[in-house]
Amino acid sequence: MALLTQTPYKQRAFDLHGLQGISDHTLEVHFGLYAGYVKNTNLLNEQLVEMCTGGQTASPAYAELTRRLGFEYNGMVLHEWYFGNLTSQTTGGEISSSSDLGRALGESFGDLETWKKDFTAVGAMRGVGWAVTYLDPATGRLSNHWITLHEDGNIAGFKPIIVMDVWEHAFLLDYKPAERPKYIEAFLANLDAGTAEARLTGKEDRPVG
Ligand SMILES: [Fe+2]
């Protein structure tokens, strides 16, 4: 159980209008969904604290709500990593192979193009979830992972560096269901390479409200 008893988690605001290939309307709807995860995470925390203090921890309801917390909490946090690594500024741009991030991806995947191919393939997998390039802080190695829903596939202790939402709500207002590859291209065109690099080098973390 998470004991966030004093301060509810605060929703973070993101200014992302004017992205290429991801409409403002999609973002508006998406921010609303993110707000739902913040609300539900706070609500679950409150309920769990109440049940804990009320001695109801042996109940099936406590177990189910505790499991649900993983879904809502990861849903909230992954959206913050996702919105946080998008930018409509031209300063975002492509990952340069000579940057710290480009070099680290090259070392882990052989070259930058192989990372991109793999990340795109992971994102194009059938199913609902996320494609995430994670850093293993213990080894410095980067690896791509598929996350089913929000909570199945995240590696404990790994740091998200590049996070892409591939739930259909992330693109269905702009593309047909079968056009996920076009959305993935749009995501990569709007990727804030500077932010991803700052995550890698420890200069930046998840944005919080
Ligand atoms: Fe989403």
Side-chain angles (χ1 to χ4, degrees), residues 30 33-34 37 75 79 82-83 129-130 150 165-167 169-170:
H30 213 161
L33 290 170
Y34 158 62
Y37 287 109
H79 277 103
Y82 170 70
F83 294 132
W130 299 77
H150 302 308
D165 191 340
V166 287
W167 283 57
H169 63 242

Side-chain angles (χ1 to χ4, degrees), residues 95-107 142 197 200-201 203:
I95 300 168
S96 155
S97 56
S98 61
S99 65
D100 286 345
L101 177 60
R103 274 199 300 270
L105 288 169
E107 276 167 29
L142 292 156
E197 175 154 310
L200 176 76
T201 54
K203 292 186 188 114

